Amino acid sequence: MIQFVRIDHRLLHGQVLYSWLKSIVCDTILIANDSVAVSESKKNGLRLAKPANKKLVMKSIDDSIHAIQSGLTDKCHLFIVVESVHDVYRLVKGVSGITSINLGGTLATSKSRPVFSQINLDEHDIKELKEIAESGVEIEYRLVPGDTKVNVNKRLEDMKE
């Protein structure tokens, strides 16, 4: 069962992840990311950050979708972390049951612009987030659980692609 979905370009990292894990009931962290899935060095680095009391699974986006759709994860309480808006877009398109997405950190690029602290979006990101929002999925922005939740769905209406 999916408990929480977060976009964070840092994937699994100390302070923020531990604060989220204290506020969300989960037993499994799923890193859904194509580049991590094929890199032993990236996997090894992420394993170092894993809390001792949580299971860590690292799969490509397609393999993550397959695992969730097949029922393989039904007994797990999943905290899913993806690296980018496009990753979460693919996940939402492939998996039913995602009702909310936490926008937690995206990298700045030459084509993106800052829209919140630590959130940089380009035209393609905005288009995909709008499509996700139109499908009924809540998109919210908070860096840590104690922050005030900002409803991104409403702000997307004003953003130009």
Side-chain angles (χ1 to χ4, degrees), residues 85-86 88-94 98-99 101 121-139 152-157 159 161:
V85 170
H86 187 63
V88 86
Y89 177 82
R90 290 174 55 206
L91 198 63
V92 167
K93 290 296 181 185
I98 296 175
T99 58
I101 296 166
L121 302 175
D122 63 24
E123 292 175 9
H124 193 253
D125 294 331
I126 293 168
K127 180 181 179 210
E128 288 182 338
L129 286 173
K130 283 181 177 181
E131 192 174 326
I132 291 168
E134 289 167 0
S135 73
V137 175
E138 173 197 42
I139 303 167
V152 176
N153 298 56
K154 292 179 181 178
R155 296 226 179 150
L156 284 170
E157 296 169 9
M159 290 184 197
E161 294 173 24

Side-chain angles (χ1 to χ4, degrees), residues 19-36:
S19 64
W20 281 109
L21 289 176
K22 288 180 182 177
S23 70
I24 295 164
V25 176
C26 73
D27 55 19
T28 305
I29 302 163
L30 171 60
I31 304 294
N33 181 267
D34 292 342
S35 66
V36 167

Side-chain angles (χ1 to χ4, degrees), residues 60-80:
S60 68
I61 299 293
D62 288 341
D63 287 346
S64 297
I65 291 167
H66 177 73
I68 295 166
Q69 285 179 329
S70 71
L72 193 62
T73 62
D74 286 355
K75 293 183 181 179
C76 299
H77 293 86
L78 294 175
F79 181 114
I80 302 174

Side-chain angles (χ1 to χ4, degrees), residues 137-157:
V137 175
E138 173 197 42
I139 303 167
E140 56 104 350
Y141 164 73
R142 284 183 290 168
L143 295 177
V144 294
D147 289 348
T148 301
K149 187 189 263 192
V150 175
N151 185 325
V152 176
N153 298 56
K154 292 179 181 178
R155 296 226 179 150
L156 284 170
E157 296 169 9

Side-chain angles (χ1 to χ4, degrees), residues 105-124:
T106 61
L107 284 174
T109 68
S110 61
K111 295 181 181 182
S112 69
R113 64 182 189 268
V115 294
F116 298 107
S117 174
Q118 300 185 30
I119 303 296
N120 300 278
L121 302 175
D122 63 24
E123 292 175 9
H124 193 253

